[in-house]
mmCIF file with all atom_site columns, all heavy atoms in Angstrom:
data_model
loop_
_atom_site.group_PDB
_atom_site.id
_atom_site.type_symbol
_atom_site.label_atom_id
_atom_site.label_alt_id
_atom_site.label_comp_id
_atom_site.label_asym_id
_atom_site.label_entity_id
_atom_site.label_seq_id
_atom_site.pdbx_PDB_ins_code
_atom_site.Cartn_x
_atom_site.Cartn_y
_atom_site.Cartn_z
_atom_site.occupancy
_atom_site.B_iso_or_equiv
_atom_site.pdbx_formal_charge
_atom_site.auth_seq_id
_atom_site.auth_comp_id
_atom_site.auth_asym_id
_atom_site.auth_atom_id
_atom_site.pdbx_PDB_model_num
ATOM 1   N N   . CYS G 1 39  ? -18.070 19.637 0.481   1.00 90.00 ? 88  CYS G N   1
ATOM 2   C CA  . CYS G 1 39  ? -17.467 20.586 -0.456  1.00 90.00 ? 88  CYS G CA  1
ATOM 3   C C   . CYS G 1 39  ? -15.949 20.429 -0.407  1.00 90.00 ? 88  CYS G C   1
ATOM 4   O O   . CYS G 1 39  ? -15.355 20.390 0.677   1.00 90.00 ? 88  CYS G O   1
ATOM 5   C CB  . CYS G 1 39  ? -17.836 22.019 -0.090  1.00 90.00 ? 88  CYS G CB  1
ATOM 6   S SG  . CYS G 1 39  ? -19.586 22.404 -0.220  1.00 90.00 ? 88  CYS G SG  1
ATOM 7   N N   . LEU G 1 47  ? -14.326 24.123 -7.288  1.00 97.00 ? 96  LEU G N   1
ATOM 8   C CA  . LEU G 1 47  ? -15.023 23.726 -6.066  1.00 97.00 ? 96  LEU G CA  1
ATOM 9   C C   . LEU G 1 47  ? -15.970 22.607 -6.467  1.00 97.00 ? 96  LEU G C   1
ATOM 10  O O   . LEU G 1 47  ? -16.748 22.753 -7.412  1.00 97.00 ? 96  LEU G O   1
ATOM 11  C CB  . LEU G 1 47  ? -15.822 24.899 -5.483  1.00 97.00 ? 96  LEU G CB  1
ATOM 12  C CG  . LEU G 1 47  ? -16.806 24.544 -4.358  1.00 97.00 ? 96  LEU G CG  1
ATOM 13  C CD1 . LEU G 1 47  ? -16.047 24.169 -3.081  1.00 97.00 ? 96  LEU G CD1 1
ATOM 14  C CD2 . LEU G 1 47  ? -17.756 25.715 -4.087  1.00 97.00 ? 96  LEU G CD2 1
ATOM 15  N N   . ARG G 1 48  ? -15.897 21.491 -5.758  1.00 95.00 ? 97  ARG G N   1
ATOM 16  C CA  . ARG G 1 48  ? -16.775 20.363 -6.061  1.00 95.00 ? 97  ARG G CA  1
ATOM 17  C C   . ARG G 1 48  ? -17.675 20.080 -4.866  1.00 95.00 ? 97  ARG G C   1
ATOM 18  O O   . ARG G 1 48  ? -17.215 20.077 -3.722  1.00 95.00 ? 97  ARG G O   1
ATOM 19  C CB  . ARG G 1 48  ? -15.965 19.115 -6.442  1.00 95.00 ? 97  ARG G CB  1
ATOM 20  C CG  . ARG G 1 48  ? -15.237 19.286 -7.770  1.00 95.00 ? 97  ARG G CG  1
ATOM 21  C CD  . ARG G 1 48  ? -14.338 18.111 -8.104  1.00 95.00 ? 97  ARG G CD  1
ATOM 22  N NE  . ARG G 1 48  ? -13.618 18.361 -9.351  1.00 95.00 ? 97  ARG G NE  1
ATOM 23  C CZ  . ARG G 1 48  ? -14.007 17.938 -10.553 1.00 95.00 ? 97  ARG G CZ  1
ATOM 24  N NH1 . ARG G 1 48  ? -15.123 17.221 -10.662 1.00 95.00 ? 97  ARG G NH1 1
ATOM 25  N NH2 . ARG G 1 48  ? -13.300 18.213 -11.626 1.00 95.00 ? 97  ARG G NH2 1
ATOM 26  N N   . ILE G 1 49  ? -18.939 19.830 -5.170  1.00 94.00 ? 98  ILE G N   1
ATOM 27  C CA  . ILE G 1 49  ? -19.941 19.539 -4.151  1.00 94.00 ? 98  ILE G CA  1
ATOM 28  C C   . ILE G 1 49  ? -20.402 18.098 -4.365  1.00 94.00 ? 98  ILE G C   1
ATOM 29  O O   . ILE G 1 49  ? -20.822 17.736 -5.464  1.00 94.00 ? 98  ILE G O   1
ATOM 30  C CB  . ILE G 1 49  ? -21.119 20.525 -4.235  1.00 94.00 ? 98  ILE G CB  1
ATOM 31  C CG1 . ILE G 1 49  ? -20.593 21.961 -4.069  1.00 94.00 ? 98  ILE G CG1 1
ATOM 32  C CG2 . ILE G 1 49  ? -22.179 20.205 -3.193  1.00 94.00 ? 98  ILE G CG2 1
ATOM 33  C CD1 . ILE G 1 49  ? -21.585 23.042 -4.412  1.00 94.00 ? 98  ILE G CD1 1
ATOM 34  N N   . ILE G 1 58  ? -22.131 16.331 -7.372  1.00 94.00 ? 107 ILE G N   1
ATOM 35  C CA  . ILE G 1 58  ? -23.383 17.049 -7.649  1.00 94.00 ? 107 ILE G CA  1
ATOM 36  C C   . ILE G 1 58  ? -23.128 18.297 -8.490  1.00 94.00 ? 107 ILE G C   1
ATOM 37  O O   . ILE G 1 58  ? -23.837 18.559 -9.470  1.00 94.00 ? 107 ILE G O   1
ATOM 38  C CB  . ILE G 1 58  ? -24.082 17.438 -6.339  1.00 94.00 ? 107 ILE G CB  1
ATOM 39  C CG1 . ILE G 1 58  ? -24.347 16.206 -5.472  1.00 94.00 ? 107 ILE G CG1 1
ATOM 40  C CG2 . ILE G 1 58  ? -25.398 18.160 -6.627  1.00 94.00 ? 107 ILE G CG2 1
ATOM 41  C CD1 . ILE G 1 58  ? -24.791 16.534 -4.070  1.00 94.00 ? 107 ILE G CD1 1
ATOM 42  N N   . HIS G 1 59  ? -22.144 19.098 -8.102  1.00 96.00 ? 108 HIS G N   1
ATOM 43  C CA  . HIS G 1 59  ? -21.813 20.331 -8.829  1.00 96.00 ? 108 HIS G CA  1
ATOM 44  C C   . HIS G 1 59  ? -20.298 20.463 -8.943  1.00 96.00 ? 108 HIS G C   1
ATOM 45  O O   . HIS G 1 59  ? -19.559 20.101 -8.024  1.00 96.00 ? 108 HIS G O   1
ATOM 46  C CB  . HIS G 1 59  ? -22.346 21.577 -8.110  1.00 96.00 ? 108 HIS G CB  1
ATOM 47  C CG  . HIS G 1 59  ? -23.828 21.630 -7.960  1.00 96.00 ? 108 HIS G CG  1
ATOM 48  N ND1 . HIS G 1 59  ? -24.681 21.728 -9.031  1.00 96.00 ? 108 HIS G ND1 1
ATOM 49  C CD2 . HIS G 1 59  ? -24.609 21.607 -6.842  1.00 96.00 ? 108 HIS G CD2 1
ATOM 50  C CE1 . HIS G 1 59  ? -25.926 21.765 -8.598  1.00 96.00 ? 108 HIS G CE1 1
ATOM 51  N NE2 . HIS G 1 59  ? -25.907 21.690 -7.280  1.00 96.00 ? 108 HIS G NE2 1
ATOM 52  N N   . VAL G 1 60  ? -19.851 21.006 -10.071 1.00 97.00 ? 109 VAL G N   1
ATOM 53  C CA  . VAL G 1 60  ? -18.472 21.432 -10.245 1.00 97.00 ? 109 VAL G CA  1
ATOM 54  C C   . VAL G 1 60  ? -18.509 22.920 -10.584 1.00 97.00 ? 109 VAL G C   1
ATOM 55  O O   . VAL G 1 60  ? -19.064 23.313 -11.610 1.00 97.00 ? 109 VAL G O   1
ATOM 56  C CB  . VAL G 1 60  ? -17.754 20.656 -11.371 1.00 97.00 ? 109 VAL G CB  1
ATOM 57  C CG1 . VAL G 1 60  ? -16.314 21.143 -11.493 1.00 97.00 ? 109 VAL G CG1 1
ATOM 58  C CG2 . VAL G 1 60  ? -17.790 19.160 -11.094 1.00 97.00 ? 109 VAL G CG2 1
ATOM 59  N N   . VAL G 1 61  ? -17.942 23.733 -9.689  1.00 97.00 ? 110 VAL G N   1
ATOM 60  C CA  . VAL G 1 61  ? -17.959 25.185 -9.887  1.00 97.00 ? 110 VAL G CA  1
ATOM 61  C C   . VAL G 1 61  ? -16.624 25.595 -10.489 1.00 97.00 ? 110 VAL G C   1
ATOM 62  O O   . VAL G 1 61  ? -15.564 25.411 -9.880  1.00 97.00 ? 110 VAL G O   1
ATOM 63  C CB  . VAL G 1 61  ? -18.200 25.917 -8.554  1.00 97.00 ? 110 VAL G CB  1
ATOM 64  C CG1 . VAL G 1 61  ? -18.381 27.416 -8.808  1.00 97.00 ? 110 VAL G CG1 1
ATOM 65  C CG2 . VAL G 1 61  ? -19.407 25.340 -7.831  1.00 97.00 ? 110 VAL G CG2 1
ATOM 66  N N   . ARG G 1 62  ? -16.680 26.148 -11.683 1.00 96.00 ? 111 ARG G N   1
ATOM 67  C CA  . ARG G 1 62  ? -15.466 26.582 -12.390 1.00 96.00 ? 111 ARG G CA  1
ATOM 68  C C   . ARG G 1 62  ? -15.863 27.610 -13.446 1.00 96.00 ? 111 ARG G C   1
ATOM 69  O O   . ARG G 1 62  ? -17.036 27.862 -13.678 1.00 96.00 ? 111 ARG G O   1
ATOM 70  C CB  . ARG G 1 62  ? -14.784 25.387 -13.070 1.00 96.00 ? 111 ARG G CB  1
ATOM 71  C CG  . ARG G 1 62  ? -15.656 24.676 -14.097 1.00 96.00 ? 111 ARG G CG  1
ATOM 72  C CD  . ARG G 1 62  ? -14.814 23.920 -15.121 1.00 96.00 ? 111 ARG G CD  1
ATOM 73  N NE  . ARG G 1 62  ? -14.050 22.832 -14.567 1.00 96.00 ? 111 ARG G NE  1
ATOM 74  C CZ  . ARG G 1 62  ? -14.421 21.557 -14.568 1.00 96.00 ? 111 ARG G CZ  1
ATOM 75  N NH1 . ARG G 1 62  ? -15.602 21.212 -15.084 1.00 96.00 ? 111 ARG G NH1 1
ATOM 76  N NH2 . ARG G 1 62  ? -13.641 20.633 -14.067 1.00 96.00 ? 111 ARG G NH2 1
ATOM 77  N N   . GLY G 1 63  ? -14.872 28.193 -14.082 1.00 93.00 ? 112 GLY G N   1
ATOM 78  C CA  . GLY G 1 63  ? -15.166 29.062 -15.218 1.00 93.00 ? 112 GLY G CA  1
ATOM 79  C C   . GLY G 1 63  ? -14.948 30.524 -14.952 1.00 93.00 ? 112 GLY G C   1
ATOM 80  O O   . GLY G 1 63  ? -14.375 30.924 -13.935 1.00 93.00 ? 112 GLY G O   1
ATOM 81  N N   . SER G 1 65  ? -16.721 33.037 -14.006 1.00 92.00 ? 114 SER G N   1
ATOM 82  C CA  . SER G 1 65  ? -17.256 33.705 -12.824 1.00 92.00 ? 114 SER G CA  1
ATOM 83  C C   . SER G 1 65  ? -16.619 33.201 -11.544 1.00 92.00 ? 114 SER G C   1
ATOM 84  O O   . SER G 1 65  ? -16.922 33.697 -10.452 1.00 92.00 ? 114 SER G O   1
ATOM 85  C CB  . SER G 1 65  ? -18.768 33.487 -12.737 1.00 92.00 ? 114 SER G CB  1
ATOM 86  O OG  . SER G 1 65  ? -19.076 32.108 -12.583 1.00 92.00 ? 114 SER G OG  1
ATOM 87  N N   . PHE G 1 66  ? -15.711 32.203 -11.665 1.00 96.00 ? 115 PHE G N   1
ATOM 88  C CA  . PHE G 1 66  ? -15.085 31.609 -10.489 1.00 96.00 ? 115 PHE G CA  1
ATOM 89  C C   . PHE G 1 66  ? -13.578 31.878 -10.533 1.00 96.00 ? 115 PHE G C   1
ATOM 90  O O   . PHE G 1 66  ? -13.113 32.800 -11.202 1.00 96.00 ? 115 PHE G O   1
ATOM 91  C CB  . PHE G 1 66  ? -15.405 30.109 -10.457 1.00 96.00 ? 115 PHE G CB  1
ATOM 92  C CG  . PHE G 1 66  ? -15.254 29.472 -9.098  1.00 96.00 ? 115 PHE G CG  1
ATOM 93  C CD1 . PHE G 1 66  ? -15.886 30.009 -7.983  1.00 96.00 ? 115 PHE G CD1 1
ATOM 94  C CD2 . PHE G 1 66  ? -14.487 28.333 -8.935  1.00 96.00 ? 115 PHE G CD2 1
ATOM 95  C CE1 . PHE G 1 66  ? -15.752 29.431 -6.737  1.00 96.00 ? 115 PHE G CE1 1
ATOM 96  C CE2 . PHE G 1 66  ? -14.348 27.734 -7.685  1.00 96.00 ? 115 PHE G CE2 1
ATOM 97  C CZ  . PHE G 1 66  ? -14.988 28.291 -6.587  1.00 96.00 ? 115 PHE G CZ  1
ATOM 98  N N   . GLY G 1 81  ? -25.504 26.543 3.839   1.00 94.00 ? 130 GLY G N   1
ATOM 99  C CA  . GLY G 1 81  ? -26.093 27.086 2.620   1.00 94.00 ? 130 GLY G CA  1
ATOM 100 C C   . GLY G 1 81  ? -25.095 27.673 1.644   1.00 94.00 ? 130 GLY G C   1
ATOM 101 O O   . GLY G 1 81  ? -25.293 27.622 0.431   1.00 94.00 ? 130 GLY G O   1
ATOM 102 N N   . LEU G 1 82  ? -23.995 28.229 2.172   1.00 96.00 ? 131 LEU G N   1
ATOM 103 C CA  . LEU G 1 82  ? -23.028 28.921 1.322   1.00 96.00 ? 131 LEU G CA  1
ATOM 104 C C   . LEU G 1 82  ? -21.612 28.432 1.608   1.00 96.00 ? 131 LEU G C   1
ATOM 105 O O   . LEU G 1 82  ? -21.272 28.112 2.754   1.00 96.00 ? 131 LEU G O   1
ATOM 106 C CB  . LEU G 1 82  ? -23.085 30.436 1.562   1.00 96.00 ? 131 LEU G CB  1
ATOM 107 C CG  . LEU G 1 82  ? -24.411 31.150 1.284   1.00 96.00 ? 131 LEU G CG  1
ATOM 108 C CD1 . LEU G 1 82  ? -24.328 32.591 1.756   1.00 96.00 ? 131 LEU G CD1 1
ATOM 109 C CD2 . LEU G 1 82  ? -24.762 31.090 -0.197  1.00 96.00 ? 131 LEU G CD2 1
ATOM 110 N N   . ALA G 1 83  ? -20.806 28.409 0.567   1.00 97.00 ? 132 ALA G N   1
ATOM 111 C CA  . ALA G 1 83  ? -19.374 28.124 0.691   1.00 97.00 ? 132 ALA G CA  1
ATOM 112 C C   . ALA G 1 83  ? -18.593 29.359 0.266   1.00 97.00 ? 132 ALA G C   1
ATOM 113 O O   . ALA G 1 83  ? -18.909 29.972 -0.758  1.00 97.00 ? 132 ALA G O   1
ATOM 114 C CB  . ALA G 1 83  ? -18.979 26.932 -0.172  1.00 97.00 ? 132 ALA G CB  1
ATOM 115 N N   . HIS G 1 93  ? -14.856 34.055 -3.540  1.00 98.00 ? 142 HIS G N   1
ATOM 116 C CA  . HIS G 1 93  ? -16.190 33.896 -4.108  1.00 98.00 ? 142 HIS G CA  1
ATOM 117 C C   . HIS G 1 93  ? -17.113 33.216 -3.106  1.00 98.00 ? 142 HIS G C   1
ATOM 118 O O   . HIS G 1 93  ? -16.672 32.410 -2.281  1.00 98.00 ? 142 HIS G O   1
ATOM 119 C CB  . HIS G 1 93  ? -16.144 33.077 -5.400  1.00 98.00 ? 142 HIS G CB  1
ATOM 120 C CG  . HIS G 1 93  ? -15.413 33.748 -6.515  1.00 98.00 ? 142 HIS G CG  1
ATOM 121 N ND1 . HIS G 1 93  ? -15.808 34.961 -7.047  1.00 98.00 ? 142 HIS G ND1 1
ATOM 122 C CD2 . HIS G 1 93  ? -14.296 33.400 -7.195  1.00 98.00 ? 142 HIS G CD2 1
ATOM 123 C CE1 . HIS G 1 93  ? -14.983 35.313 -8.015  1.00 98.00 ? 142 HIS G CE1 1
ATOM 124 N NE2 . HIS G 1 93  ? -14.051 34.384 -8.118  1.00 98.00 ? 142 HIS G NE2 1
ATOM 125 N N   . ILE G 1 94  ? -18.395 33.558 -3.211  1.00 98.00 ? 143 ILE G N   1
ATOM 126 C CA  . ILE G 1 94  ? -19.422 32.956 -2.364  1.00 98.00 ? 143 ILE G CA  1
ATOM 127 C C   . ILE G 1 94  ? -20.324 32.118 -3.262  1.00 98.00 ? 143 ILE G C   1
ATOM 128 O O   . ILE G 1 94  ? -20.874 32.625 -4.244  1.00 98.00 ? 143 ILE G O   1
ATOM 129 C CB  . ILE G 1 94  ? -20.237 34.026 -1.628  1.00 98.00 ? 143 ILE G CB  1
ATOM 130 C CG1 . ILE G 1 94  ? -19.297 34.919 -0.792  1.00 98.00 ? 143 ILE G CG1 1
ATOM 131 C CG2 . ILE G 1 94  ? -21.299 33.382 -0.741  1.00 98.00 ? 143 ILE G CG2 1
ATOM 132 C CD1 . ILE G 1 94  ? -19.995 36.084 -0.120  1.00 98.00 ? 143 ILE G CD1 1
ATOM 133 N N   . VAL G 1 95  ? -20.472 30.835 -2.927  1.00 98.00 ? 144 VAL G N   1
ATOM 134 C CA  . VAL G 1 95  ? -21.198 29.890 -3.770  1.00 98.00 ? 144 VAL G CA  1
ATOM 135 C C   . VAL G 1 95  ? -22.389 29.321 -3.015  1.00 98.00 ? 144 VAL G C   1
ATOM 136 O O   . VAL G 1 95  ? -22.270 28.928 -1.844  1.00 98.00 ? 144 VAL G O   1
ATOM 137 C CB  . VAL G 1 95  ? -20.271 28.734 -4.209  1.00 98.00 ? 144 VAL G CB  1
ATOM 138 C CG1 . VAL G 1 95  ? -21.040 27.704 -5.043  1.00 98.00 ? 144 VAL G CG1 1
ATOM 139 C CG2 . VAL G 1 95  ? -19.085 29.274 -5.002  1.00 98.00 ? 144 VAL G CG2 1
ATOM 140 N N   . ASN G 1 96  ? -23.550 29.289 -3.675  1.00 97.00 ? 145 ASN G N   1
ATOM 141 C CA  . ASN G 1 96  ? -24.726 28.612 -3.134  1.00 97.00 ? 145 ASN G CA  1
ATOM 142 C C   . ASN G 1 96  ? -24.511 27.106 -3.282  1.00 97.00 ? 145 ASN G C   1
ATOM 143 O O   . ASN G 1 96  ? -24.375 26.600 -4.401  1.00 97.00 ? 145 ASN G O   1
ATOM 144 C CB  . ASN G 1 96  ? -25.979 29.060 -3.886  1.00 97.00 ? 145 ASN G CB  1
ATOM 145 C CG  . ASN G 1 96  ? -27.242 28.447 -3.323  1.00 97.00 ? 145 ASN G CG  1
ATOM 146 O OD1 . ASN G 1 96  ? -27.393 27.234 -3.252  1.00 97.00 ? 145 ASN G OD1 1
ATOM 147 N ND2 . ASN G 1 96  ? -28.178 29.301 -2.929  1.00 97.00 ? 145 ASN G ND2 1
ATOM 148 N N   . ILE G 1 97  ? -24.463 26.396 -2.169  1.00 96.00 ? 146 ILE G N   1
ATOM 149 C CA  . ILE G 1 97  ? -24.146 24.971 -2.210  1.00 96.00 ? 146 ILE G CA  1
ATOM 150 C C   . ILE G 1 97  ? -25.245 24.166 -2.897  1.00 96.00 ? 146 ILE G C   1
ATOM 151 O O   . ILE G 1 97  ? -24.974 23.188 -3.601  1.00 96.00 ? 146 ILE G O   1
ATOM 152 C CB  . ILE G 1 97  ? -23.891 24.446 -0.786  1.00 96.00 ? 146 ILE G CB  1
ATOM 153 C CG1 . ILE G 1 97  ? -22.604 25.077 -0.236  1.00 96.00 ? 146 ILE G CG1 1
ATOM 154 C CG2 . ILE G 1 97  ? -23.791 22.926 -0.758  1.00 96.00 ? 146 ILE G CG2 1
ATOM 155 C CD1 . ILE G 1 97  ? -22.311 24.741 1.209   1.00 96.00 ? 146 ILE G CD1 1
ATOM 156 N N   . THR G 1 98  ? -26.492 24.567 -2.750  1.00 95.00 ? 147 THR G N   1
ATOM 157 C CA  . THR G 1 98  ? -27.607 23.829 -3.352  1.00 95.00 ? 147 THR G CA  1
ATOM 158 C C   . THR G 1 98  ? -27.598 23.922 -4.868  1.00 95.00 ? 147 THR G C   1
ATOM 159 O O   . THR G 1 98  ? -27.790 22.926 -5.573  1.00 95.00 ? 147 THR G O   1
ATOM 160 C CB  . THR G 1 98  ? -28.951 24.346 -2.811  1.00 95.00 ? 147 THR G CB  1
ATOM 161 O OG1 . THR G 1 98  ? -28.975 24.174 -1.383  1.00 95.00 ? 147 THR G OG1 1
ATOM 162 C CG2 . THR G 1 98  ? -30.119 23.583 -3.430  1.00 95.00 ? 147 THR G CG2 1
ATOM 163 N N   . THR G 1 99  ? -27.341 25.131 -5.391  1.00 97.00 ? 148 THR G N   1
ATOM 164 C CA  . THR G 1 99  ? -27.402 25.339 -6.839  1.00 97.00 ? 148 THR G CA  1
ATOM 165 C C   . THR G 1 99  ? -26.043 25.235 -7.514  1.00 97.00 ? 148 THR G C   1
ATOM 166 O O   . THR G 1 99  ? -25.966 25.045 -8.735  1.00 97.00 ? 148 THR G O   1
ATOM 167 C CB  . THR G 1 99  ? -27.990 26.715 -7.153  1.00 97.00 ? 148 THR G CB  1
ATOM 168 O OG1 . THR G 1 99  ? -27.112 27.742 -6.653  1.00 97.00 ? 148 THR G OG1 1
ATOM 169 C CG2 . THR G 1 99  ? -29.374 26.878 -6.520  1.00 97.00 ? 148 THR G CG2 1
ATOM 170 N N   . GLY G 1 100 ? -24.955 25.406 -6.752  1.00 96.00 ? 149 GLY G N   1
ATOM 171 C CA  . GLY G 1 100 ? -23.628 25.415 -7.347  1.00 96.00 ? 149 GLY G CA  1
ATOM 172 C C   . GLY G 1 100 ? -23.307 26.699 -8.084  1.00 96.00 ? 149 GLY G C   1
ATOM 173 O O   . GLY G 1 100 ? -22.364 26.751 -8.874  1.00 96.00 ? 149 GLY G O   1
ATOM 174 N N   . LYS G 1 101 ? -24.062 27.766 -7.813  1.00 97.00 ? 150 LYS G N   1
ATOM 175 C CA  . LYS G 1 101 ? -23.870 29.043 -8.502  1.00 97.00 ? 150 LYS G CA  1
ATOM 176 C C   . LYS G 1 101 ? -23.112 30.038 -7.620  1.00 97.00 ? 150 LYS G C   1
ATOM 177 O O   . LYS G 1 101 ? -23.311 30.089 -6.407  1.00 97.00 ? 150 LYS G O   1
ATOM 178 C CB  . LYS G 1 101 ? -25.219 29.653 -8.885  1.00 97.00 ? 150 LYS G CB  1
ATOM 179 C CG  . LYS G 1 101 ? -26.075 28.764 -9.782  1.00 97.00 ? 150 LYS G CG  1
ATOM 180 C CD  . LYS G 1 101 ? -25.442 28.528 -11.130 1.00 97.00 ? 150 LYS G CD  1
ATOM 181 C CE  . LYS G 1 101 ? -26.353 27.723 -12.051 1.00 97.00 ? 150 LYS G CE  1
ATOM 182 N NZ  . LYS G 1 101 ? -25.705 27.426 -13.355 1.00 97.00 ? 150 LYS G NZ  1
ATOM 183 N N   . VAL G 1 102 ? -22.248 30.834 -8.265  1.00 97.00 ? 151 VAL G N   1
ATOM 184 C CA  . VAL G 1 102 ? -21.573 31.930 -7.567  1.00 97.00 ? 151 VAL G CA  1
ATOM 185 C C   . VAL G 1 102 ? -22.580 33.054 -7.351  1.00 97.00 ? 151 VAL G C   1
ATOM 186 O O   . VAL G 1 102 ? -23.171 33.566 -8.306  1.00 97.00 ? 151 VAL G O   1
ATOM 187 C CB  . VAL G 1 102 ? -20.375 32.449 -8.378  1.00 97.00 ? 151 VAL G CB  1
ATOM 188 C CG1 . VAL G 1 102 ? -19.737 33.649 -7.686  1.00 97.00 ? 151 VAL G CG1 1
ATOM 189 C CG2 . VAL G 1 102 ? -19.336 31.343 -8.564  1.00 97.00 ? 151 VAL G CG2 1
ATOM 190 N N   . VAL G 1 103 ? -22.799 33.435 -6.088  1.00 97.00 ? 152 VAL G N   1
ATOM 191 C CA  . VAL G 1 103 ? -23.807 34.451 -5.776  1.00 97.00 ? 152 VAL G CA  1
ATOM 192 C C   . VAL G 1 103 ? -23.184 35.805 -5.457  1.00 97.00 ? 152 VAL G C   1
ATOM 193 O O   . VAL G 1 103 ? -23.866 36.830 -5.507  1.00 97.00 ? 152 VAL G O   1
ATOM 194 C CB  . VAL G 1 103 ? -24.709 33.994 -4.615  1.00 97.00 ? 152 VAL G CB  1
ATOM 195 C CG1 . VAL G 1 103 ? -25.512 32.771 -5.023  1.00 97.00 ? 152 VAL G CG1 1
ATOM 196 C CG2 . VAL G 1 103 ? -23.902 33.707 -3.351  1.00 97.00 ? 152 VAL G CG2 1
#
Side-chain angles (χ1 to χ4, degrees):
C88 296
L96 169 71
R97 292 175 183 265
I98 302 168
I107 303 169
H108 298 295
V109 180
V110 187
R111 60 156 65 97
S114 63
F115 200 52
L131 300 172
H142 294 299
I143 303 175
V144 178
N145 183 302
I146 293 175
T147 300
T148 64
K150 302 296 184 183
V151 176
V152 295

